[in-house]
Amino acid sequence: MSVTWEEVGWERLADGVGRCRLPGWDCTVGLVVGRGAALLIDAGSSLAEGAALRARAEALAGHRVTHLALTHPHFDHVLGAAAFAGVEVFGAVGIDSVLGGRRGREELRADAVHHGLDAAAAQEAADTLVPPRHHVCGEWTLDLGPGRQVLLANVGPAHTAYDLVVLVPGERPGEPEVVFCGDLVEESGEPQAGPDAVASHWPAALDRLLDLGGEDALYVPGHGAVVDAAFVRRQRDALAVRFGVSHG
């Protein structure tokens, strides 16, 4: 790599895997580096933020970002996506209903402005937003070069109708799997359930997440510090109580 994770203010989680917490809404963005390929997980809240993320990720990788996975269609995770021209973009099947239509983009713009994003920046990002080319229905194994594969899994609906998680196996013996959870898991505050949440399915989505990651994985929330399986399990139980959902 051309620079270290620390030099650009990112947190290294495993060999070739790290994340940063963005200012403003404490949104997490992840990076998985392969040989000649790199996957960024989420794109930030504006074109300027997306462009800065791409530059830092490419400095870390030592080559261009080739893939982008959008965990769910909320403004702080997707409005930077237009800064990734030429990149293969992935999202949960159906996400086009939000990112691809005028009404969905207008709702994203309005939500961004409501939460404090500059109106002109929000308008520019919404106007240039392009839906993902690749739509994940169940699971999709992504090859980032020799010895580096990641799994994209559509585990929703839950936090939204279109929740995608990214599982990164350890490259070396004893290295933990890293699971990028999007906002299915939040550590810095109570999980947010807006009008697009499907609360009745949320605990089951976290059960699926735990099945995929296992007991020893590092779970990376959409907001907050990295957590373990026990934290995810407690949050699942709290959500089940909060929304009156039975689970096994």
Side-chain angles (χ1 to χ4, degrees):
M1 294 183 183
S2 300
V3 298
T4 67
W5 298 94
E6 293 77 14
E7 285 174 330
V8 292
W10 288 50
E11 178 184 2
R12 181 185 179 277
L13 302 174
D15 190 26
V17 185
R19 63 92 176 244
C20 70
R21 293 168 67 172
L22 299 174
W25 299 279
D26 190 29
C27 176
T28 284
V29 169
L31 176 64
V32 185
V33 178
R35 297 181 189 176
L39 166 69
L40 199 72
I41 301 152
D42 284 337
S45 62
S46 68
L47 286 176
E49 193 163 66
L53 283 168
R54 184 172 189 172
R56 290 172 189 159
E58 291 181 347
L60 282 166
H63 50 72
R64 62 186 292 268
V65 170
T66 53
H67 300 77
L68 171 67
L70 302 176
T71 62
H72 63 286
H74 283 169
F75 83 92
D76 48 335
H77 296 259
V78 303
L79 281 184
F84 292 85
V87 171
E88 299 293 331
V89 184
F90 295 76
V93 66
I95 198 172
D96 284 10
S97 65
V98 179
L99 305 187
R102 181 178 298 176
R103 179 178 177 181
R105 292 196 300 269
E106 171 56 25
E107 289 176 350
L108 284 171
R109 183 206 63 77
D111 194 37
V113 172
H114 173 74
H115 282 89
L117 185 65
D118 173 77
Q123 188 69 63
E124 179 187 31
D127 286 346
T128 55
L129 191 59
V130 177
R133 177 181 176 187
H134 305 288
H135 305 104
V136 182
C137 181
E139 297 178 359
W140 188 313
T141 300
L142 195 60
D143 189 350
L144 298 180
R148 176 64 86 192
Q149 291 187 328
V150 301
L151 180 71
L152 310 182
N154 182 341
V155 301
H159 175 66
T160 72
Y162 317 107
D163 292 310
L164 189 71
V165 301
V166 179
L167 296 94
V168 188
E171 277 203 316
R172 298 174 181 175
E175 197 170 56
E177 184 168 82
V178 179
V179 184
F180 291 93
C181 308
D183 286 2
L184 288 169
V185 179
E186 295 192 41
E187 185 276 335
S188 55
E190 186 177 74
Q192 298 301 301
D196 57 345
V198 186
S200 61
H201 290 200
W202 203 330
L206 293 186
D207 282 331
R208 174 101 185 279
L209 188 69
L210 287 162
D211 287 342
L212 289 168
E215 285 299 307
D216 298 325
L218 300 176
Y219 292 88
V220 185
H223 302 265
V226 176
V227 300
D228 59 12
F231 180 96
V232 177
R233 192 170 294 107
R234 289 194 300 271
Q235 195 154 94
R236 176 205 62 189
D237 293 344
L239 287 166
V241 171
R242 177 179 167 188
F243 298 121
V245 180
S246 298
H247 67 281

